[in-house]
Amino acid sequence: MAFELPDLPYAHDALADLGMSKETLEYHHDLHHKAYVDNGNKLIEGTEWEDRRLEDIITGTYAAGSVAQNGIFNNASQHWNHTQFWEMMGPGGAAMPSELEKAITESFGSVDKFKADFSAAGAGQFGSGWCWLVKDADGGLKVTKTENGVNPLCFGQTALLGCDVWEHSYYIDFRNKRPVYLSNFLDKLVNWENVAARLG
């Protein structure tokens, strides 16, 4: 089925006071994400993937061990990644639900340790990519990082939280200070209720 650019779940300026400017979201959502949608639709047209679910396209075109992924995968996975990313943030400033805090504490020892591990993964991802809080098949939580558009679906994991560490996600607001962007993301931008709902 054709990819469609989702609307942001909040206004473009809704996160400005929290560290993600209207300009960033206009570039990131309206231009970058739209490009993945448009390019992905062109690439799947007339192929076996044209009528498949987005998640099936991602897992079906991922080439494990490959130095560079193919165009269909790159655009499909980045479309999925960004759709999740918008939903994982919000202007509400909601506290972390108790069930999520309990699960994180059981896996990492404390919320602060999780945040430190998550930030370290994002800061340590060389070049473009993502850092994630995932739930493994055994139910345990862990922090991972992936290059470019690769995501937890490729490894049979459930994405609970993801942060885009491509420069276009933070350069307008934070220039080259990726660690500061990551800290701000965790402290001010995450919609923890959305993350908790993904626990299943």
Side-chain angles (χ1 to χ4, degrees):
M1 63 184 66
F3 302 165
E4 294 184 6
L5 180 69
D7 291 334
L8 287 172
Y10 31 76
H12 284 80
D13 62 357
L15 306 180
D17 291 342
L18 303 174
M20 187 168 286
S21 64
K22 178 181 179 182
E23 185 181 8
T24 289
L25 283 174
E26 286 174 341
Y27 274 100
H28 200 174
H29 173 269
D30 301 1
L31 298 178
H32 285 282
H33 191 171
K34 186 176 187 299
Y36 297 129
V37 169
D38 293 344
N39 291 333
N41 281 330
K42 291 174 187 173
L43 289 168
I44 65 172
E45 186 175 358
T47 73
E48 63 181 296
W49 305 108
E50 188 171 21
D51 298 316
R52 301 285 293 276
R53 292 172 60 248
L54 178 59
E55 292 81 0
D56 294 335
I57 297 172
I58 292 167
T59 57
T61 59
Y62 175 63
S66 178
V67 173
Q69 297 296 321
N70 61 80
I72 290 178
F73 172 84
N74 287 333
N75 286 279
S77 63
Q78 282 289 72
H79 173 35
W80 187 90
N81 292 350
H82 284 82
T83 299
Q84 311 310 309
F85 186 52
W86 312 134
E87 294 174 354
M88 291 167 173
M89 295 186 290
M96 185 181 291
S98 58
E99 68 272 20
L100 177 61
E101 183 175 356
K102 181 174 182 287
I104 285 176
T105 301
E106 286 176 352
S107 292
F108 297 94
S110 70
V111 172
D112 286 345
K113 179 64 165 59
F114 151 68
K115 288 184 175 182
D117 289 357
F118 188 91
S119 294
Q125 171 56 41
F126 182 76
S128 301
W130 294 75
C131 55
W132 306 92
L133 171 65
V134 303
K135 183 171 77 169
D136 261 333
D138 64 4
L141 306 188
K142 71 179 183 181
V143 165
T144 66
K145 61 183 179 179
T146 57
E147 72 279 2
N148 299 320
V150 177
N151 65 46
L153 295 176
C154 303
F155 311 106
Q157 299 164 328
T158 300
L160 304 180
L161 179 65
C163 187
D164 187 347
V165 295
W166 287 61
E167 278 197 340
H168 63 237
S169 187
Y170 60 87
Y171 204 83
I172 290 171
D173 301 313
F174 294 95
R175 296 298 185 253
N176 64 337
K177 297 179 176 66
R178 188 190 286 185
V180 180
Y181 158 72
L182 286 158
S183 177
N184 184 80
F185 174 78
L186 289 169
D187 291 341
K188 297 182 179 179
L189 289 169
V190 175
N191 178 351
W192 294 110
E193 291 182 353
N194 181 275
V195 177
R198 297 167 182 267
L199 279 170

